[in-house]
Amino acid sequence: MKNIFFILIAALFFSFPAFAQDEELKVELTKQDSLLLKPYTIDPLAPAKAAFFSGLVPGLGQIYNKRYWKAPIAWGGMGLSIYYYTWNSKQYNVYRDAYKDLLAGRPVTGELSELNGDRLIRGQRFYRRNRDLSMFITIGIYILNIVDANVDAHLKQFNVNENLTFNPAVIQSPTDNRVNMGFTLNYQF
């Protein structure tokens, strides 16, 4: 009974005409003329310009590359690290002046009046270390800003047109009839 029902459904399903063979739906495939492709120009000085602009003013290289969203990140990183450098430097000077006053025999005034010499020395070391670390972070963000502008300008010139394709493929080996998976890299001239 199940087999007869299955055969009846299959016969009914395959008896409908196929509309995919209609003349109206045929599409002619033509080879694309290489003269109609967009010309691809490379400006070899663009990465150097972007790096120069970014070195001149942080974030300007990103604006030159038309990556406008990266410029505020560069400005924020530079501004924040410079802020921490100046704040740690001021605190270091406050602790240093208080320690000098203590050594000269003058009374220490302000918030630091309750601290002894050892704690003033530890405060100096702490703020000097943080000041130096803030300077290294500032230099690192500055260099990263220049490198980002340079790399981004290089990647903007990377060829991503239709002539170069990279596709996964499943290929059957003719020698042992095993299915192999891999990638194909096609370049059309």
Side-chain angles (χ1 to χ4, degrees):
M1 181 71 177
K2 290 181 186 180
N3 290 338
I4 295 173
F5 182 69
F6 178 70
I7 292 172
L8 186 62
I9 296 287
L12 184 63
F13 179 70
F14 288 118
S15 66
F16 290 114
F19 293 107
Q21 304 300 322
D22 195 8
E23 292 295 321
E24 297 174 6
L25 298 177
K26 283 189 177 178
V27 177
E28 290 188 28
L29 297 176
T30 58
K31 192 170 186 180
Q32 186 177 10
D33 189 11
S34 63
L35 294 176
L36 297 177
L37 294 175
K38 294 179 186 176
Y40 186 70
T41 59
I42 295 176
D43 182 13
L45 296 179
K49 281 183 186 177
F52 174 74
F53 289 151
S54 195
L56 196 60
V57 176
L60 195 59
Q62 282 77 9
I63 292 173
Y64 175 75
N65 288 334
K66 295 182 179 148
R67 304 280 192 230
Y68 302 112
W69 64 273
K70 289 184 178 181
I73 294 171
W75 296 331
M78 290 292 293
L80 193 63
S81 60
I82 289 172
Y83 168 76
Y84 280 126
Y85 174 79
T86 56
W87 187 79
N88 285 315
S89 182
K90 286 178 186 176
Q91 290 298 103
Y92 168 73
N93 289 334
V94 166
Y95 274 79
R96 189 189 61 187
D97 292 342
Y99 184 68
K100 284 182 181 179
D101 288 344
L102 186 67
L103 288 179
R106 292 187 294 264
V108 178
T109 59
E111 300 175 337
L112 306 178
S113 62
E114 300 170 0
L115 301 179
N116 60 9
D118 184 46
R119 295 184 106 189
L120 290 173
I121 290 173
R122 282 193 291 163
Q124 286 181 51
R125 287 182 186 160
F126 175 77
Y127 287 113
R128 181 178 29 186
R129 184 177 61 238
N130 286 346
R131 179 195 63 185
D132 295 344
L133 181 63
S134 297
M135 178 54 72
F136 287 134
I137 290 173
T138 303
I139 292 169
I141 291 173
Y142 179 73
I143 291 171
L144 185 65
N145 173 44
I146 294 171
V147 169
D148 175 62
N150 190 358
V151 169
D152 197 31
H154 275 291
L155 290 178
K156 275 182 62 176
Q157 296 181 4
F158 188 70
N159 186 359
V160 289
N161 63 12
E162 298 291 326
N163 292 337
L164 182 64
T165 58
F166 183 72
N167 295 324
V170 177
I171 303 169
Q172 186 173 8
S173 175
T175 57
D176 58 359
N177 291 330
R178 290 184 12 192
V179 177
N180 298 324
M181 296 181 66
F183 295 102
T184 60
L185 179 66
N186 299 325
Y187 185 73
Q188 298 174 0
F189 292 100

